[in-house]
Amino acid sequence: MEVISIQKNIHTSQRKLQLVADLVRGMSPEKAVLTLRFVNKAAAPQLQKAIKTALANARQVNLDTEQLSFKTLEVNQGFAMKRMRPAGRGNRRLYKKRTSHIKVVLTDEIVKRNSKLRVQDNKT
């Protein structure tokens, strides 16, 4: 069974969240929450909150949280708020305040990973 948690319009850029997501992607969700407590990045609490929400959703449907694993952990780009700042000679400079979306999918099934091992033929 799958459990989904989606957090939208987080006021952090996608790149910053992606760095933290790559750090915990192969872990179990409970270990990821513990690891994110000690990560010195501003995006870590937001990702930790999304994973905790997915774990709470799993408890709500009576799943064993120790058997869960990440099926997907997606960090996508949200909208960008366009802002201006004054510049010299009466001009303005445009900049964007970027947002992002987090989608966490947990499953209690065994997730098969694509291995990069190649089968070599021993034809000599």
Side-chain angles (χ1 to χ4, degrees):
M1 182 173 196
E2 294 181 359
V3 179
I4 300 174
S5 170
I6 298 174
Q7 303 287 327
K8 290 190 174 185
N9 302 326
I10 297 169
H11 291 278
T12 303
S13 69
Q14 177 191 4
R15 289 185 210 165
K16 294 176 184 178
L17 274 168
Q18 193 69 46
L19 287 172
V20 180
D22 290 341
L23 179 70
V24 298
R25 192 164 272 134
M27 299 180 185
S28 69
E30 290 185 344
K31 186 176 178 184
V33 170
L34 290 174
T35 303
L36 287 172
R37 287 181 61 192
F38 302 105
V39 173
N40 192 17
K41 296 277 188 186
Q46 286 127 2
L47 186 63
Q48 182 183 17
K49 181 181 174 184
I51 295 171
K52 279 184 177 180
T53 304
L55 286 171
N57 292 343
R59 285 188 204 101
Q60 197 69 18
V61 293
N62 296 325
L63 289 178
D64 185 17
T65 57
E66 294 179 4
Q67 301 297 323
L68 293 175
S69 62
F70 288 112
K71 183 172 182 182
T72 60
L73 178 57
E74 298 177 11
V75 177
N76 297 318
Q77 185 174 0
F79 69 94
M81 297 181 284
K82 295 175 181 156
R83 300 288 186 256
M84 298 181 277
R85 148 177 322 165
R89 302 174 128 187
N91 290 325
R92 63 182 181 211
R93 297 286 181 250
L94 299 175
Y95 64 97
K96 295 179 182 177
K97 289 189 169 191
R98 299 182 187 273
T99 63
S100 55
H101 307 312
I102 300 174
K103 181 178 180 181
V104 180
V105 180
L106 300 179
T107 183
D108 58 353
E109 301 167 0
I110 297 174
V111 178
K112 295 180 182 178
R113 302 282 179 201
N114 293 334
S115 63
K116 295 183 179 180
L117 299 175
R118 294 182 181 170
V119 178
Q120 297 177 353
D121 295 332
N122 292 331
K123 295 180 181 178
T124 54

